[in-house]
Amino acid sequence: MNRINKKMQEGKKLLSIYFTAGYPDIEDTMPTLEALQENGVDMVEIGLPFSDPLADGPTIQESSTHALKNGMTTAKLFEQLKDVRKTIDIPLIIMGYFNPVLQYGIEDFCAKCKEIGIDGMILPDLPLAEYELHYKDIFEKNDLKFIFLITPQTSDERIRQIDQASDSFIYMVSTASTTGATSGFSNVQRDYFERIASLNLKNPQIVGFGIKDSETFITATKNAKGAIIGSAFIKHITEHGVEKIDDFVSKIR
Amino acid sequence: MNYNVNEKGYYGDFGGAYIPEMLYPNVEELRQNYLKIMQEADFQKEFHELLREYVGRPTPLYYAKRFSEKYGTKVYLKREDLCHTGAHKVNNTIGQILMAQRLGKKRIIAETGAGQHGVATATVCALMGLECIVYMGAIDIKRQAPNVARMKMLGAKVIPAESGSKTLKDATNEAIRDWISNPTDTHYIIGSVVGPHPYPDMVARFQSVISTEVKKQLQEKENRDTPDYVVACVGGGSNAAGLYYHYLDNPKVGIIAVEAAGKGIDSGESAATSALGKEGIIHGSKTLLMQTPDGQITEPYSISAGLDYPGVGPMHAHLFRSKRGEFISVTDADAMQAGLELSKLEGIIPAIETAHALAIFKDRKFKKDDVVVVNLSGRGDKDLNTYIEYFDLA
């Protein structure tokens, strides 16, 4: 069974962390992964940096620009991760934008992910229709779970379509914003979280965007299976480096 | 072969809607409604009334006698430079503001490079009393101060894009991020035939008024409604799409697209996307774009801010790949000379973007009785400083 699906069966709320590969230092990718696992993080999204990250706010944009300046590339990431399964056993997801994947060659990219032991992919700019039309078979062949996003504006009908097309979890975007929104959660989000819970979807939901501390983590996971923290974690390693990851994780739960 | 968009939103291999889920409801709403709204009698009436009374259409199809004599062929200039606000851009913003109103949107956002599309958007927002926010690269804001002032006078808020390379592609990214964060009340007026489907098709249809008029005007002047060639500069490609539109499927009409070579195709400072680009995804559509082998989008260069875009509309990518279009690239130096030449031969100072299209006559020879229509897409007022510095005219 794919590591993501196995993880979803655990009886606790899941904490997933996003970080940008090759940031703050190009060789920080593996030490970050090791520290996250050691501190009890359940799942990790490894960000493949892109020059034009449309869905990201300033924090992740800057970390991507910085990682690219450090010399980060797709080939370099695969090189860094080649022995990752010798030390890391939590689910690993690559999150990025579609263009770098296309340029690497989508067949080669997916095959390489399988070889390394990557479990899933999040490509926000590869939407459901294009995925199903052209790429689904390639991902499935390599046992890569393709994870779709839903937002507060996504209709129930489309959520059900996405649920049908998914086989791991649904990435529930908490608010209409890019990543790194800091306003906290209001009743609008609480209503949305409850609406989604009441749909009784076959896939569990993991909430992302706007989770930054223990309070927002608890609110987001009241109904959902887990939550993803990205920008707040990037800010932490920007200030404290990758040596103090335990400080960050221990404050979340 | 079909050169227009198909029902899935593709031009051959190019197009589609590669957008994050956050944009799906807005883009889908537009996709489901744009053709229906455009066909409504009330929409058509208001659109054409505004084009006539406000924009000043039809624009003349002017026979450029001295220019024609010099190059030994018959050159007609489609005078889009005489449109209100000084370029063809306003044809699209009029159409889209009427679309936005019918979709019940209250807030308008736009991106701009040189500022022409920003001015055209601010203009129609003033006309309709709608809130207008224009994203513009921080570097472009410095390069194009007069247009920034115009937008402000027209009541628009100009927000500098400080991310990435701080030019047009980054302004577009910021506009898209704004749309993600304002998913219900906002319409994004894209300024060219780029972006996710249905934008390339919608913008091309609004700009197609250009070739509708050319057909009629040529009939009167030449007793036939098809030229031998249509020539236009291509950045994203909206003025070109407008001129080509009704001739796309007529093989007797040669399509010539002129891109900005900047300092030369191999100089590393160029914006000639067809020559330097590879298939990829930019701003929601699959097209040709300039990028590194690793798939990072690279920064183009051209002396003209309006051609300074690393991608090209999917229609044009298809015209290139299918060889339906002849693609020529023109350097900064040749474009500047052509701009000066047209000024002296015809008394028309063209925008530097447009000057690229005029520069092909130096090397691309036409027959004596060929009828060549060049889209004179914009006037050169906004470029006076660049002309002054380049030719030391002060």
Side-chain angles (χ1 to χ4, degrees):
Chain A
M1 188 191 274
N2 184 292
R3 289 180 198 87
I4 301 173
N5 300 65
K6 216 178 284 172
K7 183 58 81 174
M8 294 299 140
Q9 292 175 354
E10 291 182 11
K12 57 172 178 176
K13 300 294 182 182
L14 304 177
L15 170 62
S16 183
I17 296 280
Y18 167 95
F19 75 99
T20 305
Y23 178 83
D25 189 83
I26 188 151
E27 295 306 338
D28 281 338
T29 309
M30 277 308 296
T32 303
L33 278 171
E34 281 156 8
L36 289 171
Q37 171 166 284
E38 202 169 301
N39 286 285
V41 167
D42 295 297
M43 187 162 72
V44 179
E45 291 162 38
I46 305 166
L48 179 63
F50 182 49
S51 55
D52 294 74
L54 289 179
D56 285 304
T59 304
I60 294 180
Q61 282 174 43
E62 279 157 28
S63 69
S64 294
T65 306
H66 195 102
L68 292 172
K69 276 194 193 136
N70 286 345
M72 202 61 207
T73 63
T74 308
K76 178 81 188 167
L77 176 62
F78 286 144
E79 173 63 25
Q80 290 175 342
L81 295 178
K82 72 178 183 332
D83 294 325
V84 70
R85 286 304 176 193
K86 288 185 180 158
T87 51
I88 304 288
D89 53 22
I90 55 176
L92 297 177
I93 295 166
I94 289 187
M95 181 165 186
Y97 289 81
F98 192 32
N99 198 54
V101 176
L102 267 184
Q103 296 318 311
Y104 192 87
I106 188 149
E107 300 249 11
D108 291 350
F109 192 101
C110 292
K112 195 76 192 173
C113 284
K114 184 181 185 181
E115 182 190 317
I116 288 169
I118 300 295
D119 307 294
M121 292 273 294
I122 304 174
L123 299 172
D125 58 347
L126 176 54
L128 180 63
E130 310 290 350
Y131 170 78
E132 295 206 309
L133 201 59
H134 303 295
Y135 305 110
K136 186 170 181 257
D137 295 346
I138 305 171
F139 285 92
E140 286 182 353
K141 193 174 77 188
N142 292 289
D143 195 27
L144 275 177
K145 301 298 178 189
F146 195 84
I147 294 138
F148 294 101
L149 276 56
I150 60 169
T151 81
Q153 279 70 42
T154 312
S155 68
D156 287 359
E157 186 196 352
R158 185 163 166 88
I159 291 173
R160 295 212 181 275
Q161 277 179 2
I162 286 172
D163 190 37
Q164 280 309 314
S166 303
D167 174 34
S168 55
F169 67 88
I170 291 176
Y171 191 132
M172 212 173 129
V173 175
S174 69
T175 23
S177 75
T178 51
T179 54
T182 51
S183 52
F185 293 139
S186 67
N187 286 335
V188 179
Q189 275 80 41
R190 289 189 186 92
D191 290 350
Y192 161 60
F193 296 160
E194 281 174 18
R195 173 169 72 91
I196 302 305
S198 73
L199 292 175
N200 292 313
L201 302 174
K202 74 177 171 90
N203 289 277
Q205 303 98 51
I206 308 276
V207 180
F209 289 40
I211 323 288
K212 55 182 176 177
D213 51 21
S214 173
E215 191 193 336
T216 44
F217 182 79
I218 290 165
T219 310
T221 55
K222 185 165 172 275
N223 300 108
K225 179 67 188 164
I228 302 166
I229 301 180
S231 298
F233 179 71
I234 300 279
K235 275 187 192 145
H236 180 84
I237 57 173
T238 302
E239 282 167 32
H240 305 287
V242 297
E243 295 78 22
K244 296 273 171 34
I245 287 177
D246 51 341
D247 284 357
F248 183 85
V249 178
S250 64
K251 281 183 192 137
I252 304 299
R253 64 171 188 197
Chain B
M1 191 179 275
N2 175 29
Y3 297 101
N4 217 323
V5 73
N6 69 21
E7 70 286 354
K8 289 196 158 47
Y10 279 83
Y11 298 83
D13 301 331
F14 302 109
Y18 293 82
I19 47 167
E21 191 61 30
M22 298 80 128
L23 293 178
Y24 180 83
N26 269 320
V27 172
E28 183 62 12
E29 178 187 34
L30 192 61
R31 189 185 69 80
Q32 286 183 5
N33 291 294
Y34 82 111
L35 290 176
K36 198 174 68 196
I37 291 175
M38 283 173 81
Q39 281 154 12
E40 284 167 6
D42 147 81
F43 181 95
Q44 283 295 320
K45 182 168 175 281
E46 199 175 351
F47 180 55
H48 288 289
E49 256 173 34
L50 284 169
L51 289 184
R52 188 177 67 239
E53 305 294 331
Y54 188 72
V55 175
R57 303 202 74 91
T59 59
L61 182 68
Y62 166 72
Y63 176 63
K65 186 162 172 286
R66 297 185 66 210
F67 190 86
S68 296
E69 276 165 10
K70 167 145 192 198
Y71 290 107
T73 189
K74 290 171 87 167
V75 178
Y76 284 92
L77 303 176
K78 182 57 175 163
R79 296 291 309 274
E80 294 298 297
D81 60 317
L82 296 177
C83 288
H84 178 43
T85 71
H88 69 288
K89 291 283 185 190
V90 72
N91 303 327
N92 168 48
T93 60
I94 294 265
Q96 284 204 49
I97 199 94
L98 297 178
M99 183 69 65
Q101 283 181 321
R102 279 154 180 80
L103 293 169
K105 306 294 180 182
K106 306 283 179 233
R107 182 174 173 273
I108 300 295
I109 56 172
E111 85 295 340
T112 197
Q116 287 305 101
H117 173 60
V119 168
T121 303
T123 298
V124 297
C125 286
L127 180 69
M128 300 299 177
L130 289 177
E131 184 187 359
C132 180
I133 294 107
V134 179
Y135 289 91
M136 187 168 185
I139 289 176
D140 290 335
I141 286 181
K142 284 192 194 134
R143 291 197 284 201
Q144 307 284 341
N147 272 342
V148 176
R150 279 185 194 105
M151 287 185 269
K152 287 183 177 167
M153 263 190 93
L154 293 160
K157 188 174 170 195
V158 181
I159 302 183
E162 300 280 4
S163 59
S165 51
K166 304 177 189 181
T167 59
L168 177 57
K169 86 175 167 73
D170 310 285
T172 309
N173 291 342
E174 290 304 327
I176 291 173
R177 288 179 186 126
D178 179 308
W179 211 19
I180 285 174
S181 305
N182 295 282
T184 50
D185 65 341
T186 299
H187 177 72
Y188 177 18
I189 300 192
I190 296 183
S192 191
V193 286
V194 301
H197 177 67
Y199 274 101
D201 183 46
M202 178 173 69
V203 176
R205 284 168 187 264
F206 288 138
Q207 292 294 357
S208 72
V209 65
I210 297 170
S211 64
T212 302
E213 288 175 7
V214 169
K215 285 182 84 164
K216 191 159 170 261
Q217 291 164 324
L218 264 189
Q219 187 67 46
E220 283 161 12
K221 290 172 199 294
E222 292 284 334
N223 201 26
R224 57 180 204 175
D225 69 359
T226 55
D228 295 293
Y229 294 93
V230 283
V231 181
C233 63
V234 174
S238 71
N239 91 78
L243 178 65
Y244 305 161
Y245 198 84
H246 294 291
Y247 300 120
L248 285 170
D249 293 320
N250 182 346
K252 287 184 190 141
V253 181
I255 287 177
I256 299 181
V258 187
E259 292 182 315
K263 294 180 180 171
I265 296 239
D266 302 320
S267 67
E269 292 182 82
S270 177
T273 307
S274 69
L276 299 170
K278 277 175 56 194
E279 190 170 319
I281 308 281
I282 184 171
H283 299 142
S285 93
K286 188 181 273 184
T287 187
L288 295 171
L289 72 123
M290 292 168 57
Q291 54 186 314
T292 67
D294 196 45
Q296 308 300 336
I297 298 173
T298 52
E299 190 49 29
Y301 163 81
S302 163
I303 194 166
S304 106
L307 301 181
D308 204 350
Y309 184 68
V312 64
M315 173 198 281
H316 302 298
H318 181 48
L319 290 174
F320 176 73
R321 181 168 285 180
S322 65
K323 300 193 164 60
R324 170 71 181 96
E326 175 182 349
F327 280 67
I328 298 176
S329 61
V330 161
T331 61
D332 287 355
D334 284 350
M336 294 303 282
Q337 285 300 334
L340 187 63
E341 181 179 80
L342 189 79
S343 306
K344 293 195 165 153
L345 284 177
E346 299 287 350
I348 299 169
I349 301 175
I352 297 172
E353 290 80 5
T354 312
H356 284 73
L358 297 162
I360 66 162
F361 290 89
K362 192 160 70 83
D363 297 315
R364 173 66 168 86
K365 296 300 169 199
F366 296 91
K367 291 195 216 92
K368 192 164 169 296
D369 50 2
D370 277 345
V371 171
V372 183
V373 176
V374 179
N375 201 358
L376 205 81
S377 54
R379 58 178 174 246
D381 305 30
K382 70 177 175 65
D383 297 316
L384 269 189
N385 273 335
T386 312
Y387 279 127
I388 288 167
E389 278 173 29
Y390 192 89
F391 292 114
D392 204 9
L393 300 170

